[in-house]
């Protein structure tokens, strides 16, 4: 079983829809990251959170430490949001916070 | 500062050849990470440096792989005697240890294809 599980694996939405991507993890973590990867490979860090909720523009990320679960929400989705969204957990090893990644959720937003 | 850069962006090589990739981190960042991402998968940790010291290596990093960060700034990742299974995106990230929240900033990646 992977330490980080994401759902769904693929998601198609129409412009304007509210989108939720889920992430569950099975280990103790120091922080959870949401990343965005566009075709071509570049990765952008969207959020890093260890508790509660963060908001940036149309993106909202929440985490429930007790339930080992996080969600990424996109409000009023737009075709430019089409990308792969990756959840990664930071596991502090005593020397560094090493990231373990989920396999990603491929989002396609259509007009 | 323009962020983390990687060179080359793409590399096609024949099986058995050696390849070397370079990563230039954000200048004040003392930590540098290498990850590998195969098609349809999330990235996997390979190794990381704090300054010039390589502090951890994944079991994924076989003897054919070697990474260096000689002056604590840029890093190189070399793959010797490449195999088709080495085809992947190689990602570099940097961070500043000591920040209350250690955000890793990713480079654009080097996509390797071994024929």
């Amino acid at each position: 079983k992977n330490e980080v599980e994401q759902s769904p694996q693929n998601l198609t939405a129409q412009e304007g829809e509210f989108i939720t991507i889920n992430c569950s993890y099975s280990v103790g973590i120091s922080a959870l990251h949401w990343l965005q990867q566009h075709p071509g490979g570049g990765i952008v860090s969207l959020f890093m959170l260890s508790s509660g909720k963060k908001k940036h523009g149309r993106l909202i990320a929440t985490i429930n430490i007790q339930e080992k679960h996080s969600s990424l929400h996109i409000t009023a989705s737009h075709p430019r949001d089409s990308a792969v969204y990756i959840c990664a957990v930071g596991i502090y090893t005593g020397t560094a916070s090493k990231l373990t990644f989920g396999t990603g959720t491929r989002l396609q937003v259509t007009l | 500062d323009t962020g983390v850069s990687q060179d080359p962006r793409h590399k096609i090589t024949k099986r058995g050849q050696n390849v070397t990739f370079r990563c230039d981190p954000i200048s004040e960042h003392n930590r540098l990470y290498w990850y590998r991402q195969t098609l349809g998968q999330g990235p996997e940790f390979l190794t990381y440096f704090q300054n010039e010291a390589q502090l951890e290596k994944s079991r994924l990093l076989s003897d054919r792989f070697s990474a260096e960060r000689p002056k604590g700034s840029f890093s190189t990742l070399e793959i010797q005697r490449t195999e088709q299974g080495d085809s992947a995106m190689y990602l570099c990230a940097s961070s500043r240890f000591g920040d209350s929240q250690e955000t890793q900033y990713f480079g654009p990646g080097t996509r390797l294809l071994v024929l």
Side-chain angles (χ1 to χ4, degrees):
Chain A
K1 184 179 186 298
N2 292 335
E3 291 176 320
V4 182
E5 299 273 357
Q6 284 186 240
S7 63
Q9 289 188 336
N10 295 283
L11 183 55
T12 300
Q14 285 197 317
E15 184 177 12
E17 284 187 15
F18 180 85
I19 288 163
T20 296
I21 300 170
N22 295 300
C23 175
S24 297
Y25 54 93
S26 57
V27 295
I29 67 170
S30 54
L32 184 141
H33 303 250
W34 281 103
L35 310 166
Q36 182 191 56
Q37 187 171 32
H38 280 283
I43 290 180
V44 173
S45 181
L46 299 174
F47 295 103
M48 183 171 76
L49 62 166
S50 53
S51 65
K53 175 180 172 178
K54 286 189 176 180
K55 184 176 189 294
H56 182 71
R58 294 181 295 106
L59 302 179
I60 303 167
T62 64
I63 188 169
N64 185 317
I65 296 292
Q66 287 74 31
E67 294 185 3
K68 293 186 167 62
H69 181 269
S70 175
S71 294
L72 175 69
H73 305 286
I74 305 175
T75 61
S77 60
H78 189 276
R80 65 174 174 267
D81 297 327
S82 299
V84 176
Y85 292 84
I86 302 173
C87 170
V89 297
I91 300 169
Y92 186 67
T93 64
T95 55
S97 189
K98 187 173 68 177
L99 293 183
T100 299
F101 297 79
T103 54
T105 294
R106 185 175 300 276
L107 172 65
Q108 181 76 33
V109 181
T110 59
L111 293 169
Chain B
D1 185 84
T2 56
V4 180
S5 61
Q6 292 186 244
D7 183 70
R9 295 291 305 277
H10 304 273
K11 178 72 177 177
I12 300 174
T13 191
K14 292 182 179 178
R15 189 174 51 188
Q17 298 295 304
N18 299 344
V19 294
T20 300
F21 310 142
R22 176 179 170 127
C23 171
D24 285 87
I26 293 172
S27 58
E28 66 268 26
H29 284 183
N30 48 15
R31 283 198 169 157
L32 188 149
Y33 300 79
W34 284 100
Y35 298 93
R36 181 174 69 186
Q37 185 178 26
T38 52
L39 204 61
Q41 300 298 315
E44 295 171 295
F45 170 80
L46 291 179
T47 187
Y48 94 94
F49 294 83
Q50 180 160 317
N51 300 314
E52 65 277 8
Q54 188 175 18
L55 295 187
E56 189 170 346
K57 292 195 293 186
S58 163
R59 285 171 290 180
L60 293 174
L61 218 62
S62 75
D63 291 344
R64 297 184 296 105
F65 288 71
S66 61
E68 293 182 345
R69 194 182 183 199
K71 297 181 181 178
S73 56
F74 74 90
S75 175
T76 57
L77 177 68
E78 181 183 15
I79 309 174
Q80 296 183 325
R81 304 181 304 281
T82 52
E83 301 172 357
Q84 288 183 325
D86 298 331
S87 297
M89 172 78 83
Y90 290 84
L91 293 160
C92 173
S94 71
S95 67
R96 184 164 57 190
F97 175 61
D99 284 355
S100 58
Q101 291 192 320
E102 189 188 336
T103 298
Q104 293 186 24
Y105 296 83
F106 285 83
T110 294
R111 190 176 293 279
L112 172 67
L113 177 61
V114 181
L115 302 175

